[in-house]
Amino acid sequence: MIDVNEILKQLTLEEKACLLSGHKSWHTNKVSRVGLPSIFLTDGPHGLRKKKEGDKVAGLGQTELSTCFPAACTSGASWNRDLLYKMGVAMGEECRYYGVSLILGPAVNIKRNPLCGRNFEYFSEDPLIAGALGTQLTRGIEDMGVGTSVKHFACNNNEANRYFGDSIVDDRAYREIYLKAFEPIIKEGKPASVMCAYNRVNGKYASENNGLLNGVLRDDWGYEGLVMSDWGAVNDRVEGLKCGLDLEMPGDIGHNRQVIIDAVKTGDLSMEVLDTAVRRVLEIVSRGTDLKPIPDGKFLSHADLAKQISLEGAVLMKNEGRALPLDEKDKYLVVGDMFERMRYQGAGSSLLRPYKLTTPKEAFDSHGVNYDYEQGYNVYSFEKDPSLHSAVINKAKNVDTIIFFGGLSEYAESEGFDRTTLSLPQNQLDLLGDIAALGKKIIFVMFGGCPVDMSFDDSVDAVLNMYLPGEEGGESAYELLFGKANPSGKLPETWPHSYADVPFGSEFTKTTNDRYKESIFVGYRYYSTFGVPVKYPFGYGLSYTDFAYSNMQIHRDADVVTVSCDVKNVGDTYGAAVVELFVGAPKSGVVKPVRELRGFEKVYLTPGETKTVNVVVPIENLRCYVNGGWKLESGSYSFEICSDATKVILSDSISIEGDSINDSEIYTALYGKGKDTFLAMTDAEFDKLIGRKIADPKITRPYDLNTPMREYKTAGGRFLYGLLMFVFKTIYNFEKSARPSPDKETKVKNAYFGWQTISAMSLRSISYASEGMLSHKLALVLLDIANNRVLHALARLFKPEKCVKLPK
Ligand code: BGC
């Protein structure tokens, strides 16, 4: 047990400054003089990615084996709070087994645009789901005594510009959509820490955004835990501290330790602010130190849990003529590289080494399925392989049913870059098209973390979307295909017909100023309200059985509305239904979506069974954020039990007394006049809504540490950027051509992620994410080179950098 007050008293200013940053990526700093140890923290968020003890490689290197749970795209589709809690407990157990005190997750950013490369790691386009599931995951982990770090706070909704982009959001969308997902997690999940995002939010880096950190998080929500930076997200260290950022990660930036000391000495930074931040670090170290290791990682029972989550998160998107489930007595032609090389987890910082892995092929074999297999395409290529392709066509001619395994690989979607198209890889589409031309029955089993253009599905009979199902994905696919389990996942995001339908999609990441012009009309809130047809709506998902809903009742108490209904399984298979409760709020003075998800419950029923389901909606969740505050608009509220965001099954309304409120004129003019006016919104109009003219992001010379390196136009700058890209590309090619080994695939994927990520960084973000390998001084030397000031660079190189040493 650490006596935080006592240690705080004993620490010197230098030691305090050191404690405010991490060490060697995954540790806090220790101060042996006062008996303060360090703790270990690491990724998250769908399982533990722990660097192996003793591995000398910087950053990640070799990682321990751990359970690869389904990524949030799958667990989000389960709509099952209990499973997320259990997943949290299991992750907490593995953390304790490996001596990890804090795990970096959950990740709950809103899926604003389907092309965001990191959508797989997030739960939903809807803040209620993201908040509810994120809360349970947090609770589960924290209940095991392990800390969490809910991330990325806030508005980190693209990858291309994540290091320097500015997410420009109006107040209403900020509160009702983007912050809303975090709020219950903070208030009910009580995470040990919050990780601030890389990007700017309304002009200021999240890591030094007073309104976001001190304002919303601490003042409004009463958060008392620690705020850490994302890896390399610090910009101005002292400003960050003043604005509520406590811990810099990954740390080892001598310059930033020194500026803290200097700022205290000059009086720019008060001792009180410093001590508050140090105290928060001491508190998580104290918690971590008290944590007793457990002797068993329980990996086999966790594998069962991972399977359960993937069974519940798989979404049956199409089932023409009840093509599924399949009969095990028949023989099938199985096609697609993903049968053997299943995509089961995301890519980037969440990529881990699974303890157990069951591919669909292994599952089919272990259950004795009668099949013939053709690879068809290479999962790591977008190009057609003529011989693989024609081998399928030759065999397909002689069979009735083809099970096609396809989807997106880590080269199509990953942390670190955004997708450029909604389409599946062309080699898979070509193959599907040619098989379809033979008129055979096709069952498409899909892996991938986000929506794809499904126009091809007219030619397939069934689509089973596994998303990224984790280590037991193959077993789950088998059980769902052959009716051993019944799909019950519901899409936590809209699947549009095409990217052209995505509001302001053509502007996504085109400039580093990301104007969130759609405001609160994100995902289904846009499509349903503005009458835009979609391919598969939010909340949609089929089952092998049918459900009937009846007897809807609404009961109003002082603080909550309880809506109940009876759900009956009217088919002949055990299954689960989700009661999705949407509310259409009055729109007298304020523009609102036609309906918004306000509650959900999942219910499990045997054939013929009926259960009454209650969905409780706190009245405060019916409020909207207008004119600087939360207001409940008076009027009639329509409560709708839906099968998805477009289909109302039962509805009734009640009147609720609240305030008489009005939108600002500009909000009504932009959002209340129909789709054409909405989509015609200019930058200037949006800026008027925001209340300031947003300057174009201009690259000025001399460049500074925050200039995106890809924008360098000088000879020195182009040389530097070219060299960097060359080095990272070479590492990738080296890993790709290395001899086969158990780790090869992971290494290749990580190298690809590194290469893609680096292309979107600035010298500041590279330096501050580098664990001290690129010191602040060296970053400035390189900057001099980029500014063609070679002599300056040389002079700087030989000038010693003043920075305090780490305590022993
Ligand atoms: C990611 C975080 C992650 C961190 C450490 C960052 O690049 O954005 O989500 O926790 O790296 O790996």
Side-chain angles (χ1 to χ4, degrees):
M1 180 79 176
I2 286 169
D3 185 338
V4 169
N5 288 328
E6 192 45 44
I7 288 194
L8 194 57
K9 270 194 235 148
Q10 293 178 29
L11 291 170
T12 63
L13 172 60
E14 287 71 19
E15 287 164 343
K16 287 179 183 173
C18 293
L19 278 179
L20 293 181
S21 76
H23 182 47
K24 294 211 183 315
S25 255
W26 315 112
H27 302 262
T28 56
N29 271 302
K30 61 179 178 186
V31 187
S32 310
R33 189 183 68 78
V34 296
L36 184 74
S38 78
I39 57 163
F40 197 97
L41 40 118
T42 193
D43 284 300
H46 59 251
L48 181 62
R49 186 189 70 151
K50 180 173 187 240
K51 185 172 176 174
K52 269 199 168 151
E53 223 61 70
D55 189 330
K56 294 272 182 296
V57 180
L60 201 53
Q62 283 274 323
T63 55
E64 303 281 6
L65 298 176
S66 60
T67 304
C68 182
F69 288 98
C73 50
T74 305
S75 59
S78 75
W79 298 53
N80 184 327
R81 295 178 180 85
D82 292 346
L83 281 179
L84 268 294
Y85 178 81
K86 287 183 182 153
M87 175 172 155
V89 170
M91 278 165 51
E93 286 171 338
E94 294 189 22
C95 285
R96 288 182 60 170
Y97 174 73
Y98 280 122
V100 170
S101 304
L102 188 145
I103 185 161
L104 307 172
V108 298
N109 294 90
I110 292 294
K111 299 178 197 246
R112 174 178 174 239
N113 181 297
L115 292 185
C116 171
R118 209 173 179 183
N119 276 353
F120 67 84
E121 212 169 321
Y122 305 138
F123 289 109
S124 179
E125 68 187 20
D126 181 273
L128 181 83
I129 301 189
L133 300 184
T135 301
Q136 293 310 316
L137 187 60
T138 304
R139 270 194 181 146
I141 301 171
E142 296 275 345
D143 281 356
M144 286 308 296
V146 174
T148 49
S149 196
V150 53
K151 61 192 188 181
H152 309 87
F153 195 59
C155 301
N156 178 179
N157 304 106
N158 71 61
E159 290 298 284
N161 298 325
R162 69 171 177 167
Y163 291 103
F164 29 67
D166 190 0
S167 301
I168 304 161
V169 197
D170 72 283
D171 262 9
R172 191 155 171 214
Y174 192 38
R175 297 280 180 159
E176 289 186 28
I177 307 287
Y178 296 99
L179 297 176
K180 195 80 192 156
F182 287 90
E183 192 174 346
I185 304 178
I186 299 298
K187 291 183 173 166
E188 297 156 36
K190 305 206 182 315
S193 71
V194 170
M195 184 191 290
C196 74
Y198 285 119
N199 49 281
R200 302 172 213 231
V201 181
N202 287 327
K204 296 231 158 70
Y205 281 106
S207 62
E208 54 194 50
N209 195 313
N210 195 49
L212 180 67
L213 303 182
N214 281 336
V216 172
L217 186 62
R218 299 206 190 278
D219 295 345
D220 295 0
W221 298 347
Y223 183 65
E224 288 173 356
L226 174 107
V227 177
M228 70 173 75
S229 71
D230 199 342
W231 267 230
V234 163
N235 176 50
D236 177 328
R237 185 63 185 106
V238 172
E239 186 61 15
L241 271 165
K242 291 182 192 166
C243 295
L245 171 72
D246 306 306
L247 179 66
E248 170 175 24
M249 291 304 292
D252 291 320
I253 307 300
H255 169 81
N256 282 345
R257 298 197 290 268
Q258 189 60 43
V259 292
I260 294 175
I261 297 168
D262 295 346
V264 172
K265 286 188 176 154
T266 59
D268 182 29
L269 181 68
S270 75
M271 205 52 168
E272 195 192 338
V273 169
L274 183 77
D275 279 355
T276 307
V278 174
R279 175 185 292 282
R280 292 194 189 114
V281 173
L282 292 177
E283 268 154 13
I284 62 153
V285 174
S286 167
R287 260 186 66 155
T289 317
D290 289 346
L291 210 56
K292 301 267 170 304
I294 55 175
D296 183 3
K298 301 190 190 163
F299 298 109
L300 292 180
S301 70
H302 295 169
D304 286 345
L305 176 62
K307 183 180 96 180
Q308 190 56 32
I309 300 170
S310 60
L311 286 174
E312 290 215 16
V315 184
L316 181 60
M317 294 173 62
K318 180 171 182 180
N319 198 13
E320 206 66 26
R322 303 236 168 193
L324 287 176
L326 298 170
D327 191 334
E328 237 170 313
K329 289 194 236 57
D330 294 340
K331 181 170 180 181
Y332 299 96
L333 175 62
V334 173
V335 172
D337 204 2
M338 287 213 188
F339 183 57
E340 287 188 291
R341 295 198 279 178
M342 164 180 71
R343 171 97 193 283
Y344 58 95
Q345 63 170 327
S349 61
S350 63
L351 192 85
L352 55 80
R353 286 206 307 143
Y355 185 83
K356 187 172 179 246
L357 182 63
T358 311
T359 63
K361 179 172 190 321
E362 284 158 345
F364 274 40
D365 289 345
S366 74
H367 293 285
V369 176
N370 189 2
Y371 72 92
D372 214 355
Y373 170 63
E374 281 301 331
Q375 183 184 340
Y377 61 88
N378 176 348
V379 67
Y380 295 134
S381 154
F382 298 95
E383 308 287 319
K384 173 170 162 181
D385 179 318
S387 75
L388 295 181
H389 188 103
S390 53
V392 173
I393 305 304
N394 289 338
K395 281 208 178 135
K397 287 179 187 143
N398 309 317
V399 299
D400 296 328
T401 306
I402 293 147
I403 313 177
F404 190 106
F405 286 82
L408 299 173
S409 77
E410 295 82 347
Y411 302 97
E413 64 164 353
S414 165
E415 176 186 341
F417 61 94
D418 298 310
R419 283 189 298 164
T420 49
T421 166
L422 267 197
S423 291
L424 281 179
Q426 197 55 44
N427 51 1
Q428 296 184 34
L429 288 174
D430 288 349
L431 186 57
L432 266 169
D434 288 352
I435 301 173
L438 302 173
K440 305 292 172 172
K441 189 185 268 188
I442 304 175
I443 311 296
F444 186 59
V445 186
M446 186 159 50
F447 297 90
C450 40
V452 296
D453 182 329
M454 294 292 289
S455 27
F456 68 85
D457 84 350
D458 292 343
S459 57
V460 307
D461 297 82
V463 178
L464 178 65
N465 171 18
M466 302 296 298
Y467 274 117
L468 297 175
E471 64 182 33
E472 284 293 68
E475 178 65 23
S476 300
Y478 159 79
E479 291 189 14
L480 292 162
L481 286 171
F482 290 96
K484 314 286 171 199
N486 187 353
S488 62
K490 304 281 169 188
L491 296 176
E493 66 201 317
T494 308
W495 287 49
H497 277 291
S498 80
Y499 189 65
D501 291 336
V502 175
F504 306 105
S506 59
E507 297 179 18
F508 180 62
T509 68
K510 288 292 176 300
T511 110
T512 50
N513 276 343
D514 215 347
R515 289 178 171 84
Y516 285 35
K517 282 186 181 163
E518 70 288 346
S519 181
I520 57 170
F521 295 96
V522 178
Y524 72 87
R525 285 172 167 79
Y526 164 73
Y527 299 105
S528 302
T529 307
F530 291 97
V532 180
V534 299
K535 182 76 184 176
Y536 292 113
F538 171 87
Y540 167 89
L542 303 173
S543 164
Y544 295 153
T545 189
D546 294 304
F547 300 98
Y549 297 74
S550 61
N551 192 23
M552 176 180 183
Q553 313 269 347
I554 306 184
H555 181 78
R556 163 85 206 262
D557 289 310
D559 298 334
V560 298
V561 176
T562 306
V563 178
S564 65
C565 72
D566 294 343
V567 188
K568 180 172 184 186
N569 182 342
V570 291
D572 51 14
T573 313
Y574 175 80
V578 177
V579 176
E580 302 175 22
L581 180 67
F582 287 80
V583 177
K587 298 157 192 68
S588 15
V590 177
V591 182
K592 298 209 185 94
V594 63
R595 65 179 64 89
E596 295 175 272
L597 188 76
R598 294 298 188 216
F600 63 91
E601 289 301 331
K602 198 163 186 176
V603 56
Y604 300 78
L605 298 161
T606 52
E609 190 183 10
T610 303
K611 280 185 188 160
T612 302
V613 179
N614 293 312
V615 186
V616 179
V617 182
I619 300 263
E620 62 170 31
N621 284 358
L622 299 176
R623 296 174 307 171
C624 50
Y625 196 86
V626 185
N627 304 326
W630 287 104
K631 307 267 165 45
L632 180 70
E633 187 167 18
S634 280
S636 171
Y637 284 75
S638 155
F639 288 78
E640 303 170 336
I641 291 172
C642 300
S643 57
D644 62 54
T646 61
K647 275 198 204 71
V648 181
I649 310 170
L650 298 170
S651 78
D652 204 349
S653 50
I654 57 168
S655 132
I656 297 182
E657 269 304 296
D659 309 304
S660 165
I661 45 174
N662 286 301
D663 269 326
S664 62
E665 255 172 53
I666 172 90
Y667 203 90
T668 317
L670 294 178
Y671 299 94
K673 305 274 183 244
K675 188 174 107 187
D676 294 344
T677 316
F678 171 77
L679 290 180
M681 189 185 312
T682 62
D683 288 355
E685 284 169 330
F686 181 75
D687 292 0
K688 218 166 136 200
L689 172 73
I690 294 288
R692 67 192 159 94
K693 163 110 190 61
I694 296 153
D696 285 339
K698 281 215 179 78
I699 306 294
T700 49
R701 286 200 212 157
Y703 302 132
D704 61 32
L705 283 177
N706 275 334
T707 308
M709 292 185 75
R710 65 184 181 212
E711 301 291 347
Y712 289 165
K713 296 284 181 296
T714 54
R718 283 211 311 274
F719 166 74
L720 259 186
Y721 182 65
L723 183 68
L724 196 72
M725 294 308 284
F726 173 75
V727 169
F728 276 81
K729 191 174 171 187
T730 306
I731 298 175
Y732 166 65
N733 284 330
F734 170 79
E735 297 293 4
K736 228 167 77 167
S737 57
R739 272 210 225 111
S741 74
D743 270 359
K744 175 169 171 169
E745 239 177 56
T746 311
K747 283 185 176 162
V748 178
K749 287 172 195 169
N750 280 336
Y752 188 72
F753 164 55
W755 172 32
Q756 297 300 311
T757 307
I758 210 90
S759 68
M761 292 179 91
S762 63
L763 274 172
R764 189 263 306 159
S765 60
I766 294 180
S767 165
Y768 291 3
S770 74
E771 273 185 35
M773 280 185 294
L774 180 67
S775 67
H776 185 78
K777 180 180 107 172
L778 268 184
L780 288 174
V781 169
L782 297 183
L783 182 64
D784 283 336
I785 296 175
N787 282 321
N788 288 340
R789 296 155 102 179
V790 179
L791 290 179
H792 254 89
L794 281 174
R796 200 190 291 276
L797 191 61
F798 293 107
K799 216 163 130 201
E801 187 183 30
K802 184 181 162 207
C803 56
V804 64
K805 288 226 160 52
L806 288 178
K808 297 262 183 274

